[in-house]
Amino acid sequence: MSRGLRAGCILFAILLLLGLGVVTGVALDREVFFRFIPPDNVPAGAEDDFRLIAQAWNAVEQQYVDQEAADRQTLTYGAISGMVDALGDTGHSTFLTPEMVQANYQFTQGQFEGIGAYVEMRDDRAVIVAPIDGSPAEAAGLQPGDVILDVDGQSTAGMPLTEVVQRITGPAGTDVTLTLLRPATDDTITVTLTRQEIDLDNVIWARVPGTRIAHVRIVAFSAGVTDDLRQALTEIRQQELGGLILDLRRNPGGLLSEAVGVTSQFLESGNVLLRRDAQDNVEEVPVREGGLATGLPLVVLIDAGSASAAEIVSGALQDSGRAQLVGETTFGTGTVLQQFPLNDGSALLLATEEWLTPDGRVIWHMGIEPDVPVELPPGATPLLPAAESTMTPEQVEATDDAQFLQALDLLLPAP
């Protein structure tokens, strides 16, 4: 069986149901899972605990005044979610409904439906981590840090993240209305978004007008991103450009194999990351040979929406001294998540390993700190390669994307 494991924090994507701030590889199948956890047997020594759960279940099912709310599947999923939440691994280990399992797969393939925003729980509130480039969420002006107060007039106070996501989910062409709190300005905003099919262009690049610098943006680490990057780097080499800004802002992560492939385009040797299990065994994950840009001057852009695979890449490039990181401290994903399918198509994602940077730095709940800290001014948005292709050098210089301008200054020769 492949050792593919899911690395990272779970950032729910309101695309179909779920977006994984990180995802990697191949999940265990049910046959393997049930060798360790029989589906119909109470674990030895846990009989009293299971009786306690049954006692609570019966009380709710038989005595709760709103019997319509005491739906069995709702109770079951709520109990499983509560059990996982009790681990305290907020934003990482989680319970997935069958729809979320399917959405997870679709995310890794780069296609999904929804409004196009990654969401997580912070201080018991559902918060926008990042809108996806070209999505309804981006078009509506959703920003990282926006707190989701209401969905279609229903308050999200005390609502688990799975329920928030389910309420926002829906078929392409349908509408959903969100009320948001923007902490940066203390404004309350109500927006109506039309869900749509989203095809994720993982790698977008453009030559920065008036320079010999390439701006390469990786949106997510879905399947095929390494091949897409290699194609972009081939074009950059053909144009004989002299530097590269690798933009990993608002990147929720993706496949670990793609993170290794992307990092390997910029490093000749060494490790991409370390993996440490519960027994404190450490496994090195080495750089692959054949990188196309191992000598090209490089600056990496990161922010609080950079998670999981994006942190693997930025941490490896920072540890090796290959690139300076500009921007803000990243999200702080640091666990390897393994998917355990359940009988009805739902699943548990449980942290089974931790990953570290090549120098052994812990990322979990810590994040990757930039070498050059730069915050975006209030209301500013990242400059994207698609926009640069139609801009003049003067317009680029006038952008409010202070992070991008700092990266550009680091790469441009001194006057």
Side-chain angles (χ1 to χ4, degrees), residues 15 112-116 134-136 170-174 194-199:
L15 301 165
F112 23 69
E113 290 182 342
I115 69 167
S135 68
T174 60
T194 301
R195 305 173 180 99
Q196 68 180 41
E197 294 183 2
I198 299 172
D199 290 325

Side-chain angles (χ1 to χ4, degrees), residues 170-244:
T174 60
D175 292 342
V176 60
T177 299
L178 305 181
T179 301
L180 306 165
L181 171 65
R182 184 154 293 164
T185 59
D186 205 30
D187 292 332
T188 299
I189 304 162
T190 298
V191 294
T192 297
L193 305 95
T194 301
R195 305 173 180 99
Q196 68 180 41
E197 294 183 2
I198 299 172
D199 290 325
L200 199 60
D201 292 326
N202 285 309
V203 179
I204 308 167
W205 84 277
R207 180 173 179 164
V208 180
T211 76
R212 296 182 58 248
I213 305 301
H215 181 192
V216 178
R217 174 158 174 75
I218 299 180
V219 178
F221 287 83
S222 300
V225 69
T226 301
D227 290 340
D228 293 343
L229 177 61
R230 287 181 64 86
Q231 177 61 40
L233 292 175
T234 298
E235 296 169 5
I236 290 167
R237 290 172 63 175
Q238 290 171 346
Q239 295 187 28
E240 299 182 347
L241 300 187
L244 190 149

Side-chain angles (χ1 to χ4, degrees), residues 16 103 105-113 198-200 222:
L16 225 179
Y105 172 76
Q106 291 180 331
F107 172 81
T108 65
Q109 303 305 307
Q111 295 180 327
F112 23 69
E113 290 182 342
I198 299 172
D199 290 325
L200 199 60
S222 300

Side-chain angles (χ1 to χ4, degrees), residues 108-190:
T108 65
Q109 303 305 307
Q111 295 180 327
F112 23 69
E113 290 182 342
I115 69 167
Y118 300 98
V119 181
E120 59 143 350
M121 292 298 285
R122 293 180 184 171
D123 300 324
D124 297 323
R125 303 191 298 180
V127 176
I128 301 292
V129 174
I132 292 175
D133 296 356
S135 68
E138 184 190 49
L142 271 63
Q143 297 182 10
D146 285 350
V147 179
I148 303 173
L149 300 178
D150 297 327
V151 180
D152 287 332
Q154 178 72 41
S155 172
T156 62
M159 191 179 291
L161 185 57
T162 51
E163 186 174 348
V164 176
V165 172
Q166 286 173 339
R167 289 182 179 275
I168 299 176
T169 300
T174 60
D175 292 342
V176 60
T177 299
L178 305 181
T179 301
L180 306 165
L181 171 65
R182 184 154 293 164
T185 59
D186 205 30
D187 292 332
T188 299
I189 304 162
T190 298

Side-chain angles (χ1 to χ4, degrees), residues 21-22 60 62 90 97 99 114 153 159 170 202 220 243 270 286-287 347 352 401 409 414:
V22 63
V60 171
Q62 296 170 18
T90 304
T97 66
E99 294 83 2
M159 191 179 291
N202 285 309
V287 168
T352 59
D401 188 347
D409 284 344

